[in-house]
Amino acid sequence: MRSRVLMKMTSVKKVPATKTIGVVMIVIMLFALTALVFGCVPSTETGAKGNSPEAPANDPYAVSFTWETNADCSVCHQKEHDSFADATTKAGVHSTLPCSTCHTDSALSTVHKEVTSASKTPIRLRSTKVEQATCLNCHENLESLAQKSADTTVLTDAKGTVVNPHALPETSDHAIISCVSCHKMHTAEAVEKTAQDLCISCHHEKVFTCYTCHD
């Protein structure tokens, strides 16, 4: 009986090694093909910082756009446009003014070059800016504003030093600060907070006098 079992076991055909390798290679190729197909499917998830993913360059529904002073900015900048109806924002106070009153930067025509309705909308100004002179065309000059804010304690550091926000010491870093650095137009964030955050972004120890923290 035992000899018959052994005979049956020895009579089983062995699978050639080359055939086994071929099967393994086919399985690997199928996995690779599956990963390639699914890896190339465009993502429909929301992009970083709340921006939608960019549409393909050959989007048949994309509409070209040319920036002009009378252009309808709400087509792309809906959030900023909605802020004009919000009385808690600075834009709400300026709701009767067109966008081009403040956004006079000549670079706007450059940054909107080749822009279409499928382009991703930036969440903040990077290549353009609102000039301080634009604000001062309607508002008072800095000297008058400094007199009005002479008694404010909004900018008080950790050592009790008070700085007049409209009379900052003249430094190269302060030279790039303008009205809109603190006075945000399209958000309801209080100017007291935006001004403090701006100072702390450099004076990270909350001490306004330089060369008193680091030896």
Side-chain angles (χ1 to χ4, degrees), residues 1-9:
M1 182 68 178
R2 183 176 180 182
S3 60
R4 290 180 180 178
V5 173
L6 290 174
M7 290 176 64
K8 288 183 178 181
M9 291 177 63

Side-chain angles (χ1 to χ4, degrees), residues 65-184:
F65 174 83
T66 301
W67 184 84
E68 297 175 347
T69 55
N70 61 346
D72 183 4
C73 302
S74 65
V75 173
C76 296
H77 303 281
Q78 187 62 48
K79 179 180 177 181
E80 288 76 11
H81 178 265
D82 292 344
S83 68
F84 284 104
D86 185 353
T88 64
T89 68
K90 298 294 186 298
V93 179
H94 297 77
S95 59
T96 59
L97 302 178
C99 301
S100 58
T101 301
C102 296
H103 296 279
T104 59
D105 193 343
S106 59
L108 285 169
S109 58
T110 302
V111 298
H112 286 92
K113 188 177 181 180
E114 299 181 358
V115 166
T116 71
S117 57
S119 301
K120 185 167 65 173
T121 304
I123 60 175
R124 63 176 61 89
L125 297 179
R126 289 192 177 90
S127 302
T128 64
K129 61 182 179 179
V130 175
E131 298 288 348
Q132 178 151 301
T134 303
C135 299
L136 298 180
N137 283 337
C138 296
H139 299 279
E140 301 174 81
N141 56 50
L142 285 177
E143 290 74 17
S144 298
L145 292 172
Q147 291 177 7
K148 288 189 174 182
S149 59
D151 296 328
T152 184
T153 58
V154 170
L155 298 182
T156 303
D157 72 1
K159 294 186 176 181
T161 300
V162 180
V163 174
N164 186 336
H166 295 119
L168 298 177
E170 295 184 6
T171 67
S172 57
D173 291 327
H174 289 164
I176 63 175
I177 296 175
S178 66
C179 299
V180 295
S181 298
C182 298
H183 298 274
K184 304 298 182 182

